[in-house]
C-alpha cells in the first residue's frame, strides 16, 4: 500500500470570520456569498455553553437534569478505527455498530473514557432536541434565523465525520470542545471519489478519501479538491454557517465534543431532489449513450430550463406539470411516479425509492 500523503492544514486558506452577526448580516452578507462562514462568539451567552465552560461535569449535570431519558441511536466504533466513522476496508459495510441509550448516558460513557489513550469511538448525531431535551431548546435559542429549523445535537469524543454534504443550509453552534472543518466547493464532486450512494457512514453521500491521510496514488484527483479547499477550527461559543452542497470533513479535536445544528430550506421543495437522482439512475443510466443524450436534452430544456421558459406559448392555466403545481396535480405526479416503479425490481430498492418519493405515506 502506498504511503499516505498527510494534509498540511496550516497551508489551506482559512474560512472567513464574522463577529456580532445578526439576522440582517446573515441575510444580507453571509448567505449571498454562498460560502462557509465562521460566526465568532454567536452563542457564547447560551446557558449550555457556560455549563460546558465551567466543567465537563457541569455540562453533564445540565443535560442530565433536562434529558427525557428516551433512547437515541448511538454509533459505537472499536478503538482501532481511531474515531473515523468510515467504510470497512472490503466495502461490505460500515466500520461501526449501533446501540441505543439516553443522551445523557452517552455523555457519561464519553466522560468515563475521556482520559483513555485509545478509547472506543462514541458518537450520536442529528438528535432532535425537542424530543430528547426540550428544555435545552427553550433555554438556548438561536435568534438569527427567520426560517423554521429544528435544533439537533451532535455529541461525540474525538471522532471524525468523513467528507459529506448537507442538502440544506445549516448553522452549527459549538457547545463544548473544538472542531476542525475542511470545506470543498460543490463543483469538486468529481475529485472527491464519493462512495456508494446507498451506503454512507452518516447517511449522506461520503468521500472515500480519508482526510487525515489521503492516498493520492489511489485517489489522484483529490489533490485538485485540496487546492480548492479551506479550513477552520471553531471553539465553544462559535458557530459556523455551512451552505447546502458544500462538502465538509468534520474532525472533533477534544475528548468531549457537543454542538447544536440548525438546518433550514431557503425555498419550498415539493419533493426530495435526491429521489429524482435515484429515479434517474434507475430509469436513464442503463440506456444507450444515444438515448441518454436525448434525455439529457429533455432535462436541460424542461428541468434545468437552460433555454429559459420551456413553454412561453402556453397560458399559465394550461401548462400542467410545467406550471404551478396544485395539490391535485402534485398527487397525480406522485402517483404516476409510483406506478413507474411497479415494474419488476429488487423489493428493497423499490421500497427505498418509494420512501424517497412519498416520505409521508
Amino acid at each position: 500500500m502506498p504511503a499516505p500523503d498527510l494534509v498540511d492544514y496550516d497551508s489551506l486558506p482559512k474560512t472567513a470570520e464574522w463577529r456580532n452577526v445578526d439576522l440582517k448580516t446573515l441575510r444580507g452578507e453571509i448567505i449571498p456569498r454562498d460560502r462557509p462562514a465562521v460566526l465568532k462568539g454567536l452563542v457564547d451567552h447560551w446557558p449550555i455553553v457556560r455549563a460546558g465552560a465551567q466543567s465537563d461535569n457541569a455540562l453533564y449535570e445540565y443535560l442530565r437534569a433536562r434529558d427525557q431519558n428516551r433512547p437515541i441511536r448511538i454509533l459505537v466504533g472499536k478503538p482501532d478505527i481511531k474515531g473515523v466513522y468510515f467504510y470497512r476496508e472490503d466495502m461490505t459495510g460500515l466500520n461501526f455498530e449501533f446501540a441505543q441509550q439516553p443522551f445523557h448516558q452517552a455523555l457519561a460513557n464519553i466522560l468515563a473514557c475521556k482520559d483513555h489513550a485509545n478509547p472506543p469511538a462514541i458518537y450520536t448525531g442529528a438528535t432532535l432536541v425537542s424530543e430528547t431535551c426540550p428544555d435545552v431548546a427553550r433555554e438556548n435559542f438561536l435568534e438569527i434565523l427567520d426560517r423554521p429549523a429544528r435544533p439537533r445535537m451532535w455529541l461525540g469524543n474525538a471522532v471524525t465525520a468523513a467528507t459529506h454534504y448537507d442538502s440544506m443550509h445549516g448553522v452549527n453552534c459549538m457547545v463544548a470542545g473544538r472542531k476542525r472543518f475542511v470545506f470543498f466547493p460543490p463543483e469538486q464532486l468529481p475529485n472527491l471519489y464519493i462512495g456508494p450512494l446507498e451506503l454512507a457512514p452518516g447517511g449522506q453521500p461520503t468521500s472515500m478519501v480519508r482526510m487525515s491521510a489521503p492516498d493520492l496514488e489511489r485517489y489522484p484527483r483529490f489533490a485538485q479538491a485540496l487546492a480548492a479547499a479551506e479550513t477552520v477550527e471553531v471553539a465553544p461559543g462559535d458557530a459556523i454557517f455551512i451552505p447546502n452542497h458544500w462538502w465538509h470533513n468534520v474532525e472533533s479535536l477534544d475528548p468531549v465534543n457537543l454542538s447544536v445544528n440548525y438546518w433550514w430550506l431557503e425555498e419550498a421543495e415539493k419533493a426530495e431532489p435526491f429521489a429524482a437522482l435515484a429515479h434517474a439512475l434507475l430509469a436513464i443510466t442503463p440506456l444507450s449513450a444515444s438515448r441518454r443524450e436525448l434525455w439529457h436534452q429533455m432535462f436541460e430544456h424542461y428541468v434545468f430550463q437552460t433555454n429559459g421558459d420551456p413553454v412561453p406559448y402556453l397560458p399559465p392555466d394550461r401548462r400542467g406539470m410545467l406550471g404551478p403545481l396544485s395539490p391535485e396535480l402534485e398527487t397525480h405526479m406522485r402517483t404516476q411516479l409510483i406506478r413507474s416503479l411497479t415494474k419488476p425490481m429488487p423489493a428493497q430498492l423499490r421500497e427505498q425509492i418509494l420512501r424517497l418519493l412519498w416520505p409521508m405515506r
Side-chain angles (χ1 to χ4, degrees):
M1 179 179 296
D5 300 273
L6 299 180
V7 172
D8 179 8
Y9 295 105
D10 291 335
S11 68
L12 297 179
K14 299 300 181 285
T15 300
E17 295 185 355
W18 267 259
R19 295 181 182 272
N20 303 314
V21 173
D22 56 14
L23 174 59
K24 182 179 179 182
T25 306
L26 181 69
R27 282 274 152 215
E29 300 181 31
I30 296 174
I31 292 178
R33 294 175 67 247
D34 195 32
R35 299 188 67 86
V38 180
L39 318 180
K40 293 294 292 184
L42 183 71
V43 296
D44 55 11
H45 62 286
W46 276 5
I48 192 172
V49 173
R50 293 178 177 176
Q54 182 178 344
S55 68
D56 291 336
N57 188 62
L59 177 64
Y60 170 79
E61 292 298 334
Y62 180 91
L63 286 164
R64 185 189 63 81
R66 293 158 177 80
D67 194 351
Q68 299 290 303
N69 289 312
R70 295 180 179 178
I72 61 171
R73 190 174 72 165
I74 310 295
L75 284 58
V76 181
K78 295 179 180 179
D80 60 6
I81 75 170
K82 304 296 183 183
V84 180
Y85 287 89
F86 211 60
Y87 303 98
R88 294 177 185 168
E89 288 295 330
D90 60 5
M91 295 300 296
T92 60
L94 303 173
N95 67 352
F96 55 88
E97 304 294 334
F98 295 104
Q100 285 198 332
Q101 58 187 194
F103 191 85
H104 77 276
Q105 186 58 54
L107 178 55
N109 292 341
I110 289 172
L111 295 177
C113 58
K114 171 184 169 183
D115 297 322
H116 293 187
N118 192 23
I122 304 172
Y123 172 73
T124 180
T127 299
L128 278 168
V129 182
S130 60
E131 296 179 359
T132 307
C133 308
D135 286 343
V136 171
R138 286 190 285 268
E139 296 171 8
N140 304 271
F141 184 72
L142 191 62
E143 297 89 351
I144 66 169
L145 296 185
D146 60 351
R147 300 285 193 277
R150 304 174 73 185
R152 300 170 184 267
M153 292 188 291
W154 307 76
L155 172 69
N157 47 9
V159 299
T160 296
T163 305
H164 63 285
Y165 75 88
D166 301 322
S167 59
M168 295 181 281
H169 284 345
V171 171
N172 191 286
C173 305
M174 288 305 303
V175 171
R178 298 165 299 126
K179 287 184 178 179
R180 177 193 290 127
F181 289 79
V182 179
F183 294 105
F184 304 91
E187 61 267 22
Q188 290 303 314
L189 166 64
N191 300 324
L192 291 173
Y193 297 89
I194 305 306
L197 298 182
E198 74 284 357
L199 176 68
Q204 290 287 90
T206 299
S207 172
M208 297 280 294
V209 184
R210 288 180 179 265
M211 191 71 218
S212 59
D215 184 344
L216 296 184
E217 183 172 320
R218 185 176 182 183
Y219 306 113
R221 293 196 311 275
F222 186 70
Q224 298 177 49
L226 274 179
E230 61 183 62
T231 187
V232 71
E233 290 184 16
V234 288
D238 295 339
I240 189 158
F241 167 68
I242 306 174
N244 64 50
H245 283 267
W246 268 76
W247 298 86
H248 48 286
N249 187 89
V250 188
E251 182 182 0
S252 299
L253 302 176
D254 295 308
V256 180
N257 276 268
L258 175 63
S259 63
V260 179
N261 185 75
Y262 299 78
W263 281 316
W264 72 91
L265 289 170
E266 282 292 289
E267 52 194 352
E269 289 185 356
K270 294 292 185 180
E272 168 55 56
F274 190 84
L277 175 63
H279 197 182
L281 289 170
L282 183 68
I284 297 176
T285 301
L287 301 178
S288 66
S290 60
R291 290 197 66 202
R292 286 201 306 271
E293 179 55 31
L294 292 175
W295 281 105
H296 182 194
Q297 295 173 18
M298 292 276 279
F299 271 66
E300 288 287 337
H301 185 66
Y302 287 112
V303 178
F304 300 107
Q305 300 186 5
T306 54
N307 302 312
D309 184 352
V311 286
Y313 45 84
L314 291 177
D317 62 347
R318 291 293 181 267
R319 293 188 175 195
M321 67 176 65
L322 295 174
L325 296 181
S326 66
E328 296 77 16
L329 183 55
E330 183 180 338
T331 298
H332 171 75
M333 292 171 68
R334 290 181 182 272
T335 301
Q336 294 302 313
L337 286 169
I338 289 173
R339 286 178 180 172
S340 76
L341 295 170
T342 58
K343 295 180 180 179
M345 70 176 67
Q348 183 178 8
L349 175 60
R350 179 176 183 274
E351 185 61 28
Q352 288 176 349
I353 296 177
L354 287 175
R355 283 199 300 270
L356 288 169
L357 291 172
W358 209 319
M360 300 305 293
R361 84 186 219 286

